[in-house]
């Protein structure tokens, strides 16, 4: 169930398609990019990899590595093949902050939060995490002259450090701790024996003896820097572009027509000395100190600019790449166009709010819209461009109508997969549920609506929920057997401040103080589900997991999502990972430890904060779909094994 070719080798050497340079075939739009991913038997992580955050050039292998919010792309311009790397291949989560390649050809990648990984092309291994970086966020990384990398670090307490790691099997060595010179480093590079550093506190250098000194640049904040052909440095600052002369008479130079906006990235053509400049508003280059703007770059957020060595393009043609929210673009002085075509997965919005499985198919509700996957991706962005910020999805018992709740356009539906642009409830809808008699329920922030089976008319319940200023976050239906033996319909309502229940036949509301522990009166209720084996209610809160059995707390965790498979295996999605438990029965299992605990360090989780869960079935396997803020993962496990 992957999009594109699956390869069981970690080092992919594609066959040459022809002898015509890829650069010319690309400009002619004669072929589409082939997207493929490495193989993993249990995990698959899906995410858009369009938003480019950093770029690294592998001159030895003639490949370009791209760090994105959804993982890493390795693009071969000559063959036009993109190999996709995500958490399933050993990355510490999908969101990748920066990437570089050292002199030995090792690829180094830093995660958005904490951690550092390395990858050696040609070796039969996945990305390898480095244990010394568990408490460090890597802000920047660059190659060392003697192999390995320098790293700019920040810990949980906000303290900064400058370090180095000389090889993938080496330990982290801290070179400098604390000090404004190495705090929140925005850019650095090595020139001979000097490490140049730029940050909000100016320009600094670490020389051979290890001492770090600051240079006077009139209080400017250095966002990016690089060496200038002929001597000195180019400085991209919050006040524009400057040239810094090094020596006894240190000074800043600037011409009036040079860019004065905040500079985001710089790249120098080594043969001419022309400097390409990416600002917060435009892209262009300096030729003999004269500014030339590129006028046709699409508007959007751009992050990184690089010049490409000659072996990546045909003779006599220069190539500049710029990466950002719209992808990777080839740029010249008179045009800008996409460097390669994206995959169908590229349209997926990575912020996952809800999931719904139907056999081996899955519906995905995201911040950006509605998506569907059954081995191939379908996006409803073009059919329903306003259907955004989706919070719940519900399939009717017939399987023909799919209800979709949105904070932007309220309640909408699809008929046999076709979007029907009718306005049903024009209020933000946060949750959906269905009764055994096929009555449908929908919740806004403060109101409960219902729709009787085979009737398209929705209406609010007669009595308003007594939630006292709290907001509704989730709802769940349960058919409860009372002590008298009578079956009573119950709609559980989880709010930002406590658990409530509504019994439709009695038209009666009551709060947790009347049926549960006092703990559940004021807690943020974030997830509700029913155990299919025991018909018991389970409640995920910001401080732990509860059940209706004695209304006791079973586990302390920030529980964001809950799901059962048909055999009763219980899944907990928390802010620190995913937990698997055997069928909990009355809750006695929770005295021990979970069957398995998954995090980004030991699995293919896209992120440790699990926002949504849903379980599907494919032959003799369960497919557990796991949503996060940086993509969706699928974990396959055998039925009848827990």
């Amino acid at each position: 169930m992957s999009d594109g070719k699956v390869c069981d080798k970690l080092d992919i050497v594609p066959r040459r398609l022809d002898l015509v340079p890829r650069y010319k075939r690309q400009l002619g739009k004669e072929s589409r990019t082939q997207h493929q991913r490495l193989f993993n038997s249990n995990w698959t992580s899906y995410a858009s990899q369009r938003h480019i955050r950093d770029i690294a050039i592998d001159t030895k292998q003639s490949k370009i590595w791209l760090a994105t919010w959804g993982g890493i792309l390795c693009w071969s311009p000559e063959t036009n093949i993109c190999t996709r790397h995500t958490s399933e291949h050993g990355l510490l989560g999908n969101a990748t902050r920066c990437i570089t390649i050292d002199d030995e050809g090792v690829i180094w990648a830093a995660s958005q939060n904490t951690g550092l990984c390395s990858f050696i092309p040609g070796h039969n291994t996945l990305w390898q995490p480095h244990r010394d970086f568990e408490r460090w966020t890597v802000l920047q990384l660059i190659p060392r002259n003697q192999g390995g990398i320098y790293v700019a670090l920040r810990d949980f307490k906000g303290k900064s450090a400058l370090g180095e790691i000389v090889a993938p099997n080496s330990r982290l060595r801290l070179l400098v701790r604390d000090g404004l010179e190495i705090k929140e480093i925005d850019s650095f590079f090595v020139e001979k024996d000097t490490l140049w550093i730029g940050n909000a506190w100016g320009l600094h250098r670490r020389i051979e003896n290890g001492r770090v000194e600051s240079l006077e640049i009139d209080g400017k904040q250095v966002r990016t820097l690089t060496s200038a052909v002929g001597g000195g440095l180019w400085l991209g600052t919050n006040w524009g572009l400057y040239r810094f002369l090094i020596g006894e008479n240190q000074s800043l130079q600037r011409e009036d027509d040079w860019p004065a906006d905040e500079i985001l990235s710089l790249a120098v053509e080594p043969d001419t000395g022309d400097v390409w400049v990416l600002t917060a508003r435009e892209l262009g280059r300096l030729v003999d100190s004269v500014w030339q703007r590129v006028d046709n770059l699409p508007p959007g957020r751009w992050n990184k600019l690089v010049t490409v060595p000659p072996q990546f393009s045909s003779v006599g043609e220069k190539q500049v790449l710029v990466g950002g929210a719209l992808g990777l673009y080839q740029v010249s002085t008179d045009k800008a166009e996409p460097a390669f075509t994206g995959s169908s997965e590229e349209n997926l919005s990575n912020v996952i709010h809800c999931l719904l499985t139907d056999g081996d198919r899955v519906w995905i509700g995201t911040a950006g819209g509605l998506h569907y996957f059954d081995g191939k991706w379908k996006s409803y962005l073009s059919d329903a461009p306003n259907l955004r910020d989706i919070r719940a999805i519900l399939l009717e018992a017939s399987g023909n109508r799919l209800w979709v709740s949105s904070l932007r356009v309220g309640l909408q539906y699809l008929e046999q997969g076709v979007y029907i642009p009718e306005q049903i409830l024009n209020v933000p809808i946060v949750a959906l549920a269905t009764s055994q008699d096929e009555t449908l329920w929908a919740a806004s922030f403060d109101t409960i609506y219902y729709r009787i089976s085979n009737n398209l008319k929705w209406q609010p319940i007669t009595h308003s929920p007594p939630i006292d200023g709290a907001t509704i976050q989730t709802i769940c239906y349960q058919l409860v057997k009372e002590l008298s033996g009578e079956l009573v319909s119950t709609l559980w309502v989880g709010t930002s401040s406590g658990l409530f229940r509504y019994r439709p036949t009695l038209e009666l509301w009551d709060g947790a103080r009347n049926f549960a522990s006092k703990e559940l009166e004021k807690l943020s209720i974030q997830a509700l589900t029913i155990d299919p084996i025991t018909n018991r209610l389970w409640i995920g809160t910001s401080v732990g997991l509860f059940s209706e059995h004695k209304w006791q707390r079973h586990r302390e965790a920030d529980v964001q999502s809950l799901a059962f498979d048909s055999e009763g295996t219980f899944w907990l999605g928390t802010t620190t990972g995913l937990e698997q438990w055997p069928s909990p029965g009355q809750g006695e299992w929770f005295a021990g430890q979970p069957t398995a605990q998954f995090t980004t360090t030991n699995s293919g989780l896209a992120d440790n904060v699990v926002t949504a869960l849903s379980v599907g079935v494919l032959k003799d396997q369960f497919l557990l779909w796991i949503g996060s803020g940086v993509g969706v993962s699928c974990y396959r496990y055998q039925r009848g094994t827990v």
Side-chain angles (χ1 to χ4, degrees), residues 534-608:
T534 64
N535 192 40
R536 291 197 177 276
L537 174 72
W538 290 85
I539 308 113
T541 79
S542 57
V543 300
L545 176 72
F546 295 77
S547 78
E548 68 175 295
H549 177 65
K550 299 182 181 179
W551 301 104
Q552 61 185 333
R553 189 190 320 196
H554 298 279
R555 188 157 182 81
E556 293 187 6
D558 187 346
V559 181
Q560 302 275 308
S561 51
L562 301 169
F564 283 92
D565 66 27
S566 59
E567 296 176 353
T569 301
F570 194 19
W571 294 96
L572 274 65
T574 76
T575 56
T576 57
L578 174 70
E579 297 181 3
Q580 181 189 44
W581 293 84
S583 182
Q586 304 298 323
E588 60 270 15
W589 279 109
F590 286 90
Q593 293 297 314
T595 307
Q597 290 180 285
F598 299 107
T599 66
T600 57
T601 60
N602 66 1
S603 73
L605 274 185
D607 189 72
N608 283 333

Side-chain angles (χ1 to χ4, degrees), residues 23 27 269 276 283-285 292-297 317-322 329-337:
Y23 181 75
L27 295 180
E269 294 182 9
W276 286 82
L283 170 64
R285 67 173 177 171
Q292 297 179 355
R293 175 179 174 175
V294 177
D295 291 324
N296 59 353
L297 185 69
E317 291 180 316
K318 297 177 182 177
Q319 192 173 358
V320 175
L321 297 176
V322 60
Y329 271 64
Q330 292 178 152
V331 177
S332 64
T333 54
D334 60 349
K335 60 188 173 184
E337 61 181 3

Side-chain angles (χ1 to χ4, degrees), residues 257-316:
D257 67 336
W258 292 2
D261 296 322
E262 179 182 14
I263 309 298
L264 304 179
S265 185
L266 298 172
V268 174
E269 294 182 9
D271 55 340
T272 65
D274 296 345
V275 57
W276 286 82
V277 184
L278 175 65
T279 81
R281 295 197 299 176
E282 62 182 349
L283 170 64
R285 67 173 177 171
L286 287 182
V287 180
D288 295 329
S289 295
V290 177
W291 176 244
Q292 297 179 355
R293 175 179 174 175
V294 177
D295 291 324
N296 59 353
L297 185 69
R301 169 70 186 185
W302 298 98
N303 301 315
K304 185 73 173 182
L305 180 70
V306 297
T307 56
V308 179
Q311 63 262 40
F312 285 85
S313 59
S314 56
V315 177

